[in-house]
Structure formats: structure tokens, C-alpha cells
Amino acid sequence: MSGSNVSKVFYAENYHPIQAGSIDGTDILPHDNAVYRALLCSAAGLYDPLRDPKVFGDPYCTLFVGRLSHLTTEDNLRRAMSKYGRIKNLRLVRHIVTGSSRGYAFVEYETEKEMRHAYKDAHHSMIDDCEIIVDYNRQQLMPGWIPRRLGGGLGGKKESGQLRFGGRERPFRAPLRPIPHDDLKRLGITPPPEGRYMSRFQVPSPPRRETDSVHREEGSSVKDSVEKDGHSRSSSTDGDDWSHTRSPDGYRGGHSHKGNYEKMKHESRRGSNDKEDYYQRSSSEKEDRYQRRSSDKERSRRRDSNDRDDHSRKRHKSRR
């Protein structure tokens, strides 16, 4: 570990059961049965988060809400979380037999912007006299994720022997010695990912869509394209709403906007062509006007010259 990272913490970008069970992310062997079970599930591919029938909606607009009171109902949770944006779906996880709350929920917002607002401001807020924590939907957005019921997850209680690190609430702590890749290779264990270093006072941001930059560029080009009547084709607000509501095709409950994307690309190209035609017409019109002015000036100059010649001849005759 470099000296500049001594006072920092780091967050894993991929989930690794052995690393999550280590306070500084440098363990090379599972230290309890839960980590060993999660490691087996990860190696055997027994868990596929994208095919979980209970999971629906857009993961980029979904928040995980934990440490809820067991007395908190869906109505109370909706009332508390709607302060940060419009809620599209809400699922309070309950026990399959008793129906009692398990103390955590998933809240999907209408747009990604509203989700990020709640991600920033709702963390450590109070609901029914309990301090909650919020995090992004790691189940679908964090590669290699293994849930708590299979020995993975993040957080946990010390008395249960399932302390997990690397998340927003409990990041890996410094000092962080280098991960012993040689020992892991000798034992046949896949080395855990390093992660990203941040200050203890920084707030880690949730992952963004991979195509956000492309769509922002497309949105800006559509915004800059102008119709012949001088009106803008689309406003920046419409572009932001469109970019927040789209979702990948692979997630259940998501909506594909591939047609809209192709339409926007076509409009952008058409707008560029309209601009070129407009500029070409303008330049040709300017050239025609210039030529007409030049010809008019030439005719006027010739007419004035002829008038002067006539006037001089008349004066000469009168003098004679």
C-alpha cells in the first residue's frame, strides 16, 4: 500500500466472499462457514441475480433500504421515502412463513436522478425511531454478488460471526497491506479485486449506466439542432428524463428505448443536414445579392458617367 492511501478507505467494485469477510481486504482463506458457503456458490455459479423472480424494475433507479423497524409498514416507508422523489415500486421484504418484516426493502424511483437524491440524503435518516441506511442495488449492479442467505452480503452483526466489509456503511479499513497474490495463486484461490480508494469523508457514488456518456452526447446534439422555424427540437429537461427512465433489456420489468434512441440519432443527423442546407442556401443567397448589388452599382456608375458626358457636351456647345 502506498503512503498516500494510509489515511483512506477503499470500496470493492466487485464482490469477493473472502475479501468481504476481511477487515482490510487482504485475507486469503475463508474465516467462517458462511464465507466458505458463499465462496462455493460463487465458484459453482449457483446464484444468478439476473434471474431472481422476486427482482423487478430498473436497478439504476432502485435503492436498498436497511435497518428498518419491524413495525414499519409499506405506507410509512413510502411516505418517508417519497420526500426524495416519485416512487414507482416499493417492496418491503417479509418472512415467507410469518409475514413479518425482515427489516429491509427495495424502493424504485421514477428516474435515476431521484434515486441519487435519496441515496445522498436519506442515508442515516430516521423512520419510526430507527436510523436507516441506504445503498444502491448491489444485487444487480455489483458483479459477483452473493446474498446473505448464501453466506455473502455486506454488514451483519458481530455476534453472528458474519461481519462483512467493503460496502458504503463499513468500508475496508487502512492500513491496507498488499494482497498476497502469490499465496492465492499457490492455493488456487482467485485473488480479490483491489477496489477504489477514497477519503473517509467522501460519499461513494452508485454506478452509472455504461451508455450515459453516449446518450448525453446524443442529447446535446439533438438540443443544438434547430428547425427551420427557429424552434428547438427537444429541451434539455426532456433529454434528462429520457436518459433516466431507460433501462437495459436484460432486467425484468425494464423498458427498452432502442427505438427512441435510433429516432434521436436520426433527428440529430437530419438536424445537421438541415443546418448544412440552411448554410448553403444562405451563402448562395448572399452571393446572389452581392452580384446583383455589383451589377446595379456598375449600371448606376455607367449611367452617371453617360450623364456627365452629356452634360459636358452641352456645356461645350453653349460656350461655342
Side-chain angles (χ1 to χ4, degrees):
M1 178 182 179
S2 61
S4 60
N5 295 326
V6 172
S7 60
K8 295 183 178 181
V9 295
F10 84 109
Y11 302 87
E13 297 179 355
N14 299 335
Y15 189 83
H16 194 279
I18 296 180
Q19 186 183 37
S22 172
I23 192 173
D24 61 356
T26 58
D27 289 0
I28 60 175
L29 293 174
H31 67 276
D32 59 36
N33 291 331
V35 174
Y36 185 72
R37 187 169 69 253
L39 190 64
L40 290 178
C41 293
S42 176
L46 300 180
Y47 178 72
D48 185 2
L50 302 181
R51 296 183 181 179
D52 191 340
K54 297 181 180 179
V55 176
F56 59 90
D58 187 354
Y60 289 95
C61 298
T62 303
L63 272 185
F64 166 82
V65 184
R67 297 184 184 174
L68 290 170
S69 170
H70 291 280
L71 301 178
T72 299
T73 62
E74 284 84 351
D75 294 336
N76 293 346
L77 181 60
R78 182 181 296 274
R79 192 181 306 111
M81 300 302 293
S82 61
K83 296 187 297 183
Y84 310 101
R86 300 163 297 169
I87 295 178
K88 184 177 181 180
N89 291 308
L90 185 147
R91 180 170 73 96
L92 180 63
V93 179
R94 296 183 175 275
H95 195 277
I96 191 173
V97 177
T98 63
S100 60
S101 172
R102 300 295 299 270
Y104 64 96
F106 296 92
V107 181
E108 181 187 5
Y109 285 91
E110 291 285 347
T111 64
E112 188 175 347
K113 182 177 180 181
E114 292 170 316
M115 184 280 290
R116 291 179 177 275
H117 182 205
Y119 176 85
K120 179 180 178 182
D121 295 340
H123 192 52
H124 288 169
S125 62
M126 302 294 293
I127 298 180
D128 294 336
D129 297 330
C130 285
E131 185 178 15
I132 67 169
I133 60 172
V134 300
D135 204 347
Y136 69 87
N137 190 1
R138 294 178 182 268
Q139 178 175 356
Q140 291 181 282
L141 299 183
M142 191 174 194
W145 177 259
I146 298 295
R148 174 63 56 81
R149 67 176 183 272
L150 298 178
L154 294 171
K157 297 181 179 180
K158 187 175 181 179
E159 55 267 20
S160 66
Q162 292 190 16
L163 275 177
R164 299 293 177 265
F165 301 89
R168 179 183 183 182
E169 185 64 13
R170 188 180 286 116
F172 295 111
R173 299 180 182 179
L176 187 72
R177 61 183 176 86
I179 295 176
H181 293 280
D182 294 337
D183 295 340
L184 293 175
K185 183 178 180 180
R186 178 172 52 83
L187 295 172
I189 300 175
T190 304
E194 280 282 355
R196 50 177 173 160
Y197 291 92
M198 296 183 67
S199 169
R200 296 181 183 272
F201 306 101
Q202 287 180 290
V203 178
S205 60
R208 294 182 179 273
R209 302 178 192 269
E210 295 180 356
T211 56
D212 264 359
S213 59
V214 176
H215 287 293
R216 279 198 296 268
E217 292 176 359
E218 293 293 339
S220 62
S221 62
V222 172
K223 180 181 176 182
D224 292 338
S225 62
V226 180
E227 293 281 358
K228 293 180 181 179
D229 58 358
H231 295 289
S232 175
R233 289 184 183 273
S234 63
S235 65
S236 59
T237 305
D238 294 338
D240 290 341
D241 290 341
W242 181 87
S243 64
H244 289 315
T245 53
R246 69 189 185 279
S247 62
D249 296 336
Y251 296 111
R252 180 182 176 186
H255 300 284
S256 174
H257 294 271
K258 183 177 181 181
N260 291 343
Y261 174 59
E262 296 296 335
K263 183 180 179 181
M264 291 182 69
K265 289 177 64 178
H266 175 69
E267 290 182 354
S268 176
R269 289 193 295 268
R270 188 175 64 184
S272 302
N273 295 332
D274 293 343
K275 278 187 177 181
E276 294 177 359
D277 295 340
Y278 172 76
Y279 291 139
Q280 290 177 359
R281 288 196 303 271
S282 300
S283 60
S284 61
E285 290 175 359
K286 287 181 180 179
E287 186 176 358
D288 294 339
R289 286 197 298 269
Y290 177 76
Q291 292 177 356
R292 284 198 299 270
R293 282 200 218 99
S294 301
S295 60
D296 292 340
K297 287 182 180 179
E298 182 67 22
R299 285 195 296 269
S300 177
R301 188 180 62 80
R302 291 178 180 177
R303 187 168 54 250
D304 293 342
S305 177
N306 294 332
D307 293 341
R308 283 195 300 269
D309 292 341
D310 293 341
H311 181 68
S312 63
R313 284 195 297 269
K314 289 180 181 178
R315 287 181 62 186
H316 183 68
K317 288 181 180 181
S318 63
R319 286 179 183 177
R320 292 178 64 184

